[in-house]
Amino acid sequence: MCLPPTSACPVLKLMGRLRRLWPASLLGRLTLVMVAGVLVTQVAASAIWASQLRAKSRVEAESSAQYVAHSAAGAIRFFRSLPPAYRMLIIQQLREMGGTRFFVNFNHAYVPVSQIRGYPLADSVIATVGATLKADLPHSPGFQLAFSWPDKLVVAEHDVRLNDLPDSWVQHVLLLQPDPAPILVIQTEIEPGNWLYMAALMPNPYFLSSNDPFTWDRLTPQALSLAVVLVLCLLVVRSITRPLAALSDAAAAFGQGQDEETRPLPETGSREFINTARAFSAMRERIHRYIEDRERLFISISHDLRTPITRLKLRSELLDDEALRNEFEEDLDELDMMVKGALQCVKDSDIHENPAEIKLDAMVGRLVRSAQLAGHVVAWQPEGLTVRAKPLALKRALGNLLDNALFYGQRAEIRAYAAPGTVTIAVRDHGPGVPDDAFASLFDPYVRLAHGREQNDGGMGLGLGIARGIIEAQGGELILENHPEGGLNAMIRLPA
């Protein structure tokens, strides 16, 4: 329950979203962790470097601002000391000579300047220049300071712009090529109705861009280095997880009885994986030998027991006591059935055949027709589905389920349908169903319910166990449940 006063629910929701984003595969997890680590490290390093760059740029800009301000103060004193009639003559001579620090002009009033906005470093430089000028010229009436771009800079009255001036006046003073740089404008009133206009570049004209750590020329090397590191991380992760994927595929194929189609695991990669591959190969060989020994053992048991059982049956026929002879024959029949049941359990759950594409309509149709010829009622509707499995093994598993349904439920219904990634074959009977506490033991050998013993006294309780072993060996599962409308519903679920 979510309580409004607390913040637990948003935290739980956030954790749930993060859990859904967390990859399920080892490749995805290692890739995400390594990529996230590299990105966090790169961002942290870039943030530290950007902070240091801004601090360094700020110190250099303030030092340059003080230098420019002292030069401007000297120029203001010089022009203030000149008679008004000589000022324009001196300015004209300076323009013809070139090479001066400032572009100088006189106006009858303050000239509005389009200021640069959004640059904290520019505001800091203006503040430093203003403070230095006030310290050098304490009796001046005041200063109008601003930074402006060259294409918007007004240098004289009547909206005379920088681009309107002859190149010889500004080419040695204000740098316009190759890239425009911000121009510092200082205006102060020398006497009433006479304003001194000075414009100059900073010692580092591109100090605003040098302060920005996220320019393309700086981001490109960082992006390239990050891309190289990420590619190397992905290659390393892939080299680690590829052998594990091969091991997983080999284990899955071995568990589904398809080990004869699997190549031996390559003993390449890290030392840990080589040891794991060798251990898995040794285990696989031991299991192969065990299965072969088990088959030979049961074949020899069958061969050795059938002869004495047959001999005992012949000898029991010679007994004169009919009651004793019948008891002997019942015991021998029971022993013979136990041997056959054990052999059937081994052979039916270990069928050596290659998987193939199976058309369910044809396979189930043959089983249904055989049951109907024997007088049973079986409902089946073809669906046109196919699965990849071992044909004979799947047919035996379906036959066991159908036999159980007909033995214990009189009539059966078979239905096949597809879902994303799976194909399900459902065999339903119309019997009494199974008690809930009995489902856990239904697959155990020789376990039979009371209803089953009444309907089929010759069974041994091996059919469900054999069917489940066959289905699980092919990567599927056998699910038993009571049908809502009555009877038992056995569902074979195979990979599509």
Side-chain angles (χ1 to χ4, degrees):
M1 183 176 180
C2 184
L3 299 178
T6 66
S7 59
C9 285
V11 173
L12 293 177
K13 291 180 180 178
L14 178 60
M15 293 179 62
R17 293 192 184 98
L18 293 178
R19 193 177 293 110
R20 286 192 295 269
L21 294 176
W22 184 246
S25 64
L26 180 61
L27 174 62
R29 292 183 177 183
L30 288 177
T31 301
L32 180 60
V33 169
M34 296 187 71
V35 169
V38 171
L39 287 177
V40 169
T41 303
Q42 189 77 9
V43 169
S46 298
I48 295 174
W49 174 72
S51 176
Q52 294 176 346
L53 178 63
R54 289 192 178 99
K56 179 181 178 181
S57 299
R58 187 182 185 90
V59 172
E60 292 179 351
E62 291 179 352
S63 176
S64 299
Q66 292 178 355
Y67 168 75
V68 172
H70 290 312
S71 299
I76 292 172
R77 292 193 194 96
F78 172 73
F79 283 104
R80 185 175 288 171
S81 64
L82 292 176
Y86 289 92
R87 291 172 182 168
M88 290 305 300
L89 179 61
I90 297 298
I91 291 176
Q92 186 63 32
Q93 292 177 351
L94 292 175
R95 291 173 180 174
E96 293 176 356
M97 292 172 57
T100 58
R101 158 65 62 182
F102 298 97
F103 168 80
V104 183
N105 193 26
F106 275 93
N107 299 297
H108 294 95
Y110 166 74
V111 176
V113 177
S114 178
Q115 300 187 26
I116 295 177
R117 303 291 184 183
Y119 288 90
L121 186 59
D123 298 336
S124 175
V125 168
I126 288 175
T128 302
V129 171
T132 305
L133 287 176
K134 289 181 179 180
D136 290 351
L137 303 172
H139 302 294
S140 294
F143 303 93
Q144 298 294 330
L145 309 175
F147 273 106
S148 178
W149 294 114
D151 58 341
K152 298 181 180 180
L153 181 61
V154 178
V155 297
E157 298 171 314
H158 309 296
D159 198 28
V160 178
R161 296 180 177 269
L162 182 63
N163 296 332
D164 300 331
L165 300 179
D167 292 340
S168 60
W169 289 13
V170 296
Q171 62 182 354
H172 300 298
V173 180
L174 304 179
L175 179 65
L176 302 179
Q177 299 296 334
D179 297 321
I183 298 175
L184 175 64
V185 178
I186 303 174
Q187 299 185 67
T188 182
E189 192 174 19
I190 300 296
E191 55 260 347
N194 204 1
W195 283 74
L196 177 63
Y197 181 102
M198 293 190 300
L201 295 171
M202 297 294 292
N204 177 14
Y206 303 104
F207 72 100
L208 290 181
S209 59
S210 64
N211 174 63
D212 186 7
F214 302 110
T215 56
W216 283 110
D217 57 339
R218 290 172 177 171
L219 287 179
T220 300
Q222 294 185 12
L224 290 177
S225 63
L226 179 61
V228 170
V229 172
L230 292 180
V231 169
L232 293 178
C233 289
L234 292 176
L235 292 178
V236 171
V237 171
R238 184 62 178 169
S239 66
I240 294 174
T241 57
R242 182 179 295 172
L244 296 178
L247 177 61
S248 175
D249 294 340
F254 181 63
Q256 296 175 10
Q258 303 172 3
D259 192 53
E260 65 275 2
E261 302 177 2
T262 306
R263 298 179 180 177
L265 282 176
E267 296 183 0
T268 58
S270 63
R271 181 177 58 188
E272 292 79 6
F273 175 76
I274 292 176
N275 294 336
T276 304
R278 290 174 178 173
F280 177 81
S281 300
M283 179 196 69
R284 184 166 54 184
E285 293 299 324
R286 289 195 299 270
I287 294 177
H288 273 308
R289 289 196 299 269
Y290 165 74
I291 293 175
E292 293 174 355
D293 293 343
R294 185 187 66 168
E295 291 181 357
R296 286 193 294 267
L297 173 63
F298 275 89
I299 291 173
S300 63
I301 290 175
S302 173
H303 181 270
D304 294 341
L305 287 180
R306 282 178 180 175
T307 300
I309 289 174
T310 303
R311 189 166 55 245
L312 287 174
K313 285 184 178 181
L314 293 175
R315 289 178 180 177
S316 66
E317 296 292 336
L318 301 176
L319 294 175
D320 296 330
D321 189 343
E322 184 177 357
L324 182 60
R325 184 172 64 249
N326 292 335
E327 290 180 359
F328 265 102
E329 290 178 352
E330 290 178 1
D331 290 341
L332 291 173
D333 289 340
E334 183 178 353
L335 179 60
D336 189 22
M337 186 169 293
M338 290 178 62
V339 172
K340 291 180 180 179
L343 290 173
Q344 181 187 9
C345 182
V346 172
K347 291 181 179 180
D348 286 354
S349 60
D350 189 24
I351 301 172
H352 297 284
E353 58 177 332
N354 294 325
E357 294 291 333
I358 303 172
K359 295 181 178 181
L360 292 180
D361 291 350
M363 174 180 286
V364 179
R366 285 193 295 270
L367 292 174
V368 170
R369 285 191 296 271
S370 299
Q372 290 174 346
L373 289 175
H376 298 292
V377 179
V378 182
W380 158 248
Q381 181 66 36
E383 298 291 343
L385 299 177
T386 60
V387 294
R388 183 172 179 81
K390 295 181 178 181
L392 182 58
L394 181 59
K395 184 177 180 180
R396 290 186 179 183
L398 278 172
N400 285 346
L401 296 180
L402 181 58
D403 290 342
N404 283 349
L406 295 175
F407 272 128
Y408 309 130
Q410 287 79 42
R411 60 191 179 93
E413 296 176 3
I414 304 179
R415 187 168 65 95
Y417 55 90
T422 61
V423 173
T424 302
I425 309 169
V427 181
R428 177 203 171 190
D429 63 41
H430 289 265
V434 176
D436 293 338
D437 57 352
F439 276 102
S441 60
L442 280 181
F443 295 107
D444 296 339
Y446 308 110
V447 173
R448 305 181 66 208
L449 302 181
H451 174 70
R453 291 192 297 269
E454 294 173 359
Q455 298 293 325
N456 181 20
D457 57 358
M460 291 177 291
L462 298 174
L464 287 178
I466 293 173
R468 185 177 69 170
I470 291 174
I471 299 304
E472 290 182 349
Q474 302 185 65
E477 58 179 340
L478 176 59
I479 303 172
L480 301 179
E481 63 182 14
N482 287 321
H483 197 275
E485 299 178 2
L488 181 67
N489 194 33
M491 294 182 294
I492 296 176
R493 187 166 294 162
L494 294 171

